Amino acid sequence: MQITDREKFKSSINRVIITREEIQNAVAKAGRMLSEEYEGKPLLLVSVLKGAFVFLSDLCRAVDIPCEVGFMAAKSYFADTQSSGSVEITMDLAQDISKYHVVIVEDIIDTGRTLSEIIKLLRQREPLSLKVLTLLDKPERRVVELDADYSLFTIPDHFVIGYGLDYGEYFRNLPYIADFKE
Ligand code: IMP
Ligand code: MG
């Protein structure tokens, strides 16, 4: 799918479910929370590309203590019934995480399968601590046991786009979260 038409692009945006302002307020609050919790500690914010890049870029600017950012990319190959074991890391972190308190910054936790594999992998590297902060959580969809340490918004089982989240690689640039309409 390639979209070049503005009207077609707009017609896929069904309804804004989380506004720009609501996101900004939640991100500011999360930034303050991280700044308190990790003050005086080496902090590494890790984002799994691509979905979380917008969230991480706002979040790191809402943190007012020293921190580093790191990026990973992963490909998942899950059959419908399978719940673990099929994640390939296509780009790894540059940092040795044993020297950091790591916070994984996610866009959305859906089934939880990808993230749970990434957590397993990062745990093996023995970071000083490891937590998960997600912008969105769809708990109804979970197939593995996984709770984020911090979740900014809980949403129902609807496909959403915007603020980093895509459909067919589009809509990541919307400044809000919307319901997607085919
Ligand atoms: P899972 O938790 O392993 O199922 O994978 C979560 C990934 O699926 C997220 O990082 C997103 O890339 C994608 N995803 C899940 N739900 C949505 C959605 O509603 N909109 C866009 N992407 C989604
Ligand atoms: Mg993602």
Side-chain angles (χ1 to χ4, degrees), residues 106-114 138 158-160 165-166:
E106 260 290 21
D107 52 349
I108 186 165
I109 308 180
D110 187 44
T111 66
R113 293 189 289 202
T114 312
K138 273 190 203 171
H158 282 156
F159 197 83
V160 294
L165 290 136
D166 72 306

Side-chain angles (χ1 to χ4, degrees), residues 48-52 76 78 87 106-116 136 138 141-144 146 155-162 164-168 172 177-180:
V48 184
L49 295 172
K50 302 177 193 166
S76 325
F78 292 109
V87 171
E106 260 290 21
D107 52 349
I108 186 165
I109 308 180
D110 187 44
T111 66
R113 293 189 289 202
T114 312
L115 185 57
S116 99
L136 304 175
K138 273 190 203 171
R141 294 261 308 162
R142 207 76 94 247
V143 302
V144 295
L146 194 163
I155 60 168
D157 180 13
H158 282 156
F159 197 83
V160 294
I161 51 174
L165 290 136
D166 72 306
Y167 176 79
R172 295 191 197 275
I177 307 277
D179 257 335
F180 175 72

